[in-house]
């Protein structure tokens, strides 16, 4: 079986900071979702709706953009989240867990299977409903912050290798989600706006080729790109992805040791991560998770749309991920992380069923109708809670305490 080499010190430092921020941010994310549910199901309901629909108008150069606050959060602030996601993906591919075939094969195959199986389960239940089928990708995502927040409650029981694999699967999962959003949730394309977006992207690429390492020109062009993409019919958050992929990282061809070379990418990632973990994602959760529970019955959760999401996340995720890992191990192409046997891998699969943030985001793109969106939120919340509880209890019972382990 293939033994992945140890990660360099630079990658391990980045991962330690990643785990710390994501775990704490995940706990805040849970709290924000709970507050949203309380606000939507209390005398604060009208204030909560007024918060979501509050008009906000911003002028950027010649462009004047007016949107409700909810859309500014989903289109604007979430572009910063996707910028951070792109930075993480690029760093992992160049100097981290995705650098090299030995490290890539297990998370790549597991993440892909963890997308395909939930999508198939959702499709099996909803194939006769064209409206519901727009959300086939809702149960395919993993919320790394939420999952690491739950794992943090287990303390030293969780092997470091298991945290590494979970975070790597989630990174690949995010990359697949980005591709899905670009390919399936774009509409009414404007060729003029796309041409201007292409010009902004080309300018960033030129800066990159010229080895410009100052962040300011990239970020200014990123704002221009965001405005153009917003007007193009492609979802505006993808501008954050494109900008993140253009930010320079370490240059392996120069004479500076990669372990000590200053990286603009890592500098920006370090600056953004606390704002995203402690601000943007909790705000997104608060703005989008406020499902009105009054009048809901068990039969509502058993409808095909929410049930398809629950089955996709709670069953499809662990079946796809663990099944792929077992197949790769049987073929001798990869092995489980150190300290993680089948029981730990099954618990990891359940944790990957926590789809919260990205699932809510895809649902907001898929369902313009309030009834369908509320049904999707019901499925997402139910699946995420079930997956978190099953994963926590399973790992608590099956993982031994590891005194002194990180």
């Amino acid at each position: 079986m293939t033994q992945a080499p140890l990660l360099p010190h630079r990658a391990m430092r980045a991962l330690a900071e990643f785990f710390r921020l994501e775990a704490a941010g995940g706990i805040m994310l849970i709290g924000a979702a709970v507050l949203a549910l309380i606000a939507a199901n209390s005398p604060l309901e009208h204030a909560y709706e007024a918060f979501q629909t509050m008009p906000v108008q911003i002028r950027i150069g010649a462009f004047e953009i007016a949107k409700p606050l909810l859309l500014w959060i989903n289109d604007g602030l979430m572009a910063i989240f996707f910028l951070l996601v792109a930075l993480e993906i690029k760093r992992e591919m160049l100097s981290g867990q995705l650098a090299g075939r030995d490290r890539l094969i297990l998370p790549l195959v597991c993440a892909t299977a963890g997308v395909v199986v939930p999508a198939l389960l959702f499709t099996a239940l909803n194939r006769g409903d064209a409206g519901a089928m727009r959300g086939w990708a809702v149960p395919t995502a993993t919320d790394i912050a939420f999952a690491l927040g739950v794992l943090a409650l287990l303390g030293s029981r969780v092997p470091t290798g298991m945290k590494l694999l979970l975070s790597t699967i989630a990174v690949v999962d995010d990359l697949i989600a980005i591709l899905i959003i670009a390919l399936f949730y774009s509409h009414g394309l404007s060729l003029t706006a796309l041409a201007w977006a292409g010009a902004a992207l080309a300018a960033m690429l030129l800066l990159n080729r010229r080895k410009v390492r100052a962040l300011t020109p990239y970020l200014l062009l990123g704002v221009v790109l965001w405005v153009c993409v917003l007007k193009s019919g492609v979802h505006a958050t993808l501008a954050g992805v494109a900008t993140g992929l253009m930010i320079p990282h370490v240059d392996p061809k120069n004479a500076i040791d990669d372990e000590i070379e200053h990286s603009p990418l890592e500098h920006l990632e370090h600056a953004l991560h606390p704002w995203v973990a402690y601000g943007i994602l909790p705000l997104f959760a608060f703005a989008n998770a406020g499902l009105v529970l009054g009048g809901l019955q068990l039969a509502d959760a058993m409808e095909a749309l929410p049930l398809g999401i629950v089955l996709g996340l709670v069953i499809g995720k662990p079946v796809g991920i663990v099944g792929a890992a077992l197949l790769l191990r049987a073929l001798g192409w990869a092995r489980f992380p150190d300290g993680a046997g089948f029981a730990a891998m099954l618990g990891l699969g359940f944790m990957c069923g926590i789809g919260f943030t990205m699932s809510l985001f895809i649902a907001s793109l898929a369902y313009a109708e309030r009834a369908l969106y509320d049904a999707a939120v019901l499925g997402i919340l139910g699946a995420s809670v079930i997956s978190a509880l099953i994963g926590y209890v399973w790992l608590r019972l099956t993982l031994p305490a590891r005194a002194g382990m990180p």
Side-chain angles (χ1 to χ4, degrees):
M1 297 181 185
T2 302
Q3 170 67 60
L6 294 175
L7 291 173
H9 293 300
R10 185 189 199 103
M12 291 303 296
R13 289 195 303 269
L15 280 169
E17 180 71 2
F18 176 84
F19 290 147
R20 182 182 68 81
L21 287 170
E22 290 290 336
I27 294 171
M28 290 188 65
L29 196 66
I30 297 169
V34 172
L35 287 177
L37 289 171
I38 292 172
N41 295 276
S42 71
L44 296 172
E45 178 184 359
H46 295 299
Y48 180 72
E49 291 179 356
F51 165 78
Q52 291 177 308
T53 57
M54 178 172 40
V56 178
Q57 185 171 319
I58 294 180
R59 180 182 294 275
I60 303 176
F63 292 96
E64 186 174 290
I65 306 172
K67 288 175 174 285
L69 180 58
L70 178 62
L71 291 184
W72 274 112
I73 293 170
N74 291 356
D75 292 349
L77 292 182
M78 286 301 283
I80 301 175
F81 164 70
F82 276 88
L83 167 61
L84 180 63
V85 168
L87 294 174
E88 291 170 350
I89 290 172
K90 183 172 181 177
R91 173 177 53 77
E92 294 292 354
M93 294 187 72
L94 293 181
S95 62
Q97 303 168 79
L98 302 180
R101 177 184 175 278
D102 290 343
R103 296 187 190 129
L104 181 60
I105 185 169
L106 182 62
L108 178 61
V109 176
C110 287
T112 302
V115 167
V116 171
V117 176
L120 291 176
L121 286 175
F122 182 89
T123 300
L125 268 70
N126 291 275
R127 62 184 182 277
D129 186 341
M133 276 303 299
R134 291 200 302 272
W136 63 269
V138 171
T140 64
T142 294
D143 191 309
I144 181 60
F146 202 147
L148 286 177
V150 176
L151 282 183
L153 301 177
L154 292 164
S156 61
R157 292 175 180 269
V158 183
T160 301
M162 182 176 165
K163 293 180 183 178
L164 289 172
L165 180 59
L166 174 61
S167 65
T168 314
I169 289 174
V171 168
V172 178
D173 197 288
D174 284 343
L175 178 59
I176 296 173
I178 289 167
L179 294 174
I180 288 173
I181 291 168
L183 293 174
F184 297 100
Y185 294 102
S186 300
H187 55 84
L189 297 181
S190 166
L191 295 180
T192 301
L194 283 175
W196 282 108
L201 190 59
M204 280 192 280
L205 182 60
L206 180 62
L207 290 174
N208 204 294
R209 293 290 178 87
R210 293 292 184 103
K211 301 189 182 302
V212 174
R213 300 177 69 79
L215 285 171
T216 301
Y218 291 98
L219 297 181
L220 290 176
L221 284 168
V223 173
V224 174
L225 179 63
W226 179 82
V227 173
C228 295
V229 173
L230 183 68
K231 299 291 186 179
S232 72
V234 178
H235 199 271
T237 52
L238 296 178
V241 176
T243 302
L245 294 178
M246 290 295 106
I247 303 297
H249 192 29
V250 293
D251 184 357
K253 297 180 180 179
N254 63 24
I256 305 174
D257 186 347
D258 289 350
E259 286 293 316
I260 63 173
E261 182 180 358
H262 171 72
S263 166
L265 182 149
E266 289 174 322
H267 177 75
L268 182 59
E269 183 182 4
H270 180 76
L272 286 180
H273 206 160
W275 289 97
V276 171
Y278 301 147
I280 291 175
L281 289 183
L283 181 59
F284 171 83
F286 179 76
N288 286 273
L291 178 66
V292 177
L293 300 175
L296 284 179
Q297 301 177 355
L298 181 60
D300 296 314
M302 300 306 292
E303 293 289 334
L305 197 163
L307 184 59
I309 293 172
V310 171
L311 292 180
L313 287 170
V314 176
I315 296 177
K317 276 290 185 182
V319 167
I321 290 170
V322 180
L326 288 172
L327 177 61
L328 290 174
R329 187 174 71 164
L331 294 172
W333 293 354
R335 53 168 297 186
F336 292 170
D338 291 338
F342 173 77
M345 289 296 295
L346 185 57
L348 180 147
F350 285 125
M351 288 297 183
C352 288
I354 303 173
F356 195 69
T357 302
M358 194 67 80
S359 292
L360 284 174
F361 185 74
I362 294 175
S364 72
L365 301 180
Y367 300 125
E369 302 89 340
R370 184 71 195 188
L372 291 176
Y373 178 74
D374 285 347
V377 172
L378 177 62
I380 293 165
L381 293 178
S384 296
V385 170
I386 292 169
S387 294
L389 289 175
I390 293 176
Y392 175 82
V393 171
W394 176 260
L395 291 174
R396 185 84 184 178
L397 293 175
T398 57
L399 289 179
R402 300 167 184 266
M405 293 291 289

